[in-house]
Amino acid sequence: MTDTENISKVTDIINDSHIGMLTTINEEGALVSRPLAVQDVREDGDLWFFTGLDTSQVAHVRADPRVNVSFGKRTEWVSVAGTAEVITDRAKIHEMWNQTVEAWYPDGPDTPEVCLLRVDSDSAEYWTSPGGAAATVFQWVKSKVTNSRMSVGESGTVEL
């Protein structure tokens, strides 16, 4: 596939998943993950999330901006590596505000602790398994019968 097709594949998986597991590095150097709803994924793979200034993810990003965000839904998965930045620009928060975010911040976009996390994506890896569970089981049985390695889809790495 071309770079454009690979990037499109990555953004399609993200848009279909909606919830990503954001992984940051804590104060002790351990990896910590938590689910966040992606608000926007740009054509270049950059991701936008709403969160709160008082959260662990904001503290971690401010100390070490290296992050990973993984998405998955049934038979498709993607892992995005990049660097994150905390955005407190009220105009940008207003621009991206939506009713879903209001469930977490009922006082609206001017809630003092509301901020955005922007992930500047460096690369992404994706995996797909067309045909779902039935195709996976079939490929597993085939690999056992033929004593060969199981193959159930495609994967790729994309530089963003």
Side-chain angles (χ1 to χ4, degrees):
M1 288 203 299
T2 67
D3 285 346
T4 303
E5 290 170 328
N6 280 329
I7 292 170
S8 179
K9 183 69 169 174
V10 166
T11 58
D12 287 348
I13 293 170
I14 294 169
N15 284 322
D16 287 346
S17 301
H18 304 294
I19 303 293
M21 290 297 290
L22 172 73
T23 302
T24 57
I25 302 168
N26 73 10
E27 299 80 7
E28 290 81 38
L31 300 174
V32 180
S33 299
R34 80 281 287 151
L36 287 179
V38 68
Q39 299 303 309
D40 188 24
V41 56
R42 300 291 163 96
E43 289 179 10
D44 61 0
D46 286 359
L47 308 169
W48 289 83
F49 301 91
F50 274 100
T51 192
L53 289 170
D54 58 350
T55 60
S56 62
Q57 57 264 26
V58 167
H60 296 170
V61 163
R62 285 182 167 160
D64 187 336
R66 296 175 295 164
V67 299
N68 188 84
V69 189
S70 59
F71 297 86
K73 189 172 181 184
R74 297 188 185 212
T75 60
E76 297 182 310
W77 305 270
V78 68
S79 176
V80 178
T83 54
E85 178 183 4
V86 178
I87 307 293
T88 57
D89 176 3
R90 286 291 146 202
K92 188 67 176 174
I93 291 169
H94 275 269
E95 175 189 327
M96 297 193 75
W97 192 259
N98 60 66
Q99 289 183 344
T100 303
V101 180
E102 233 165 74
W104 281 275
Y105 300 101
D107 293 334
D110 290 316
T111 304
E113 70 265 16
V114 171
C115 66
L116 291 161
L117 277 183
R118 182 183 63 83
V119 175
D120 181 10
S121 302
D122 297 326
S123 65
E125 292 187 54
Y126 69 88
W127 301 265
T128 64
S129 180
T136 301
V137 169
F138 173 76
Q139 288 297 326
W140 180 80
V141 170
K142 180 180 171 186
S143 74
K144 289 299 197 181
V145 170
T146 61
N147 197 31
S148 62
R149 185 180 174 120
M150 187 170 143
S151 174
V152 291
E154 68 177 89
S155 64
T157 301
V158 182
E159 297 302 318
L160 300 168

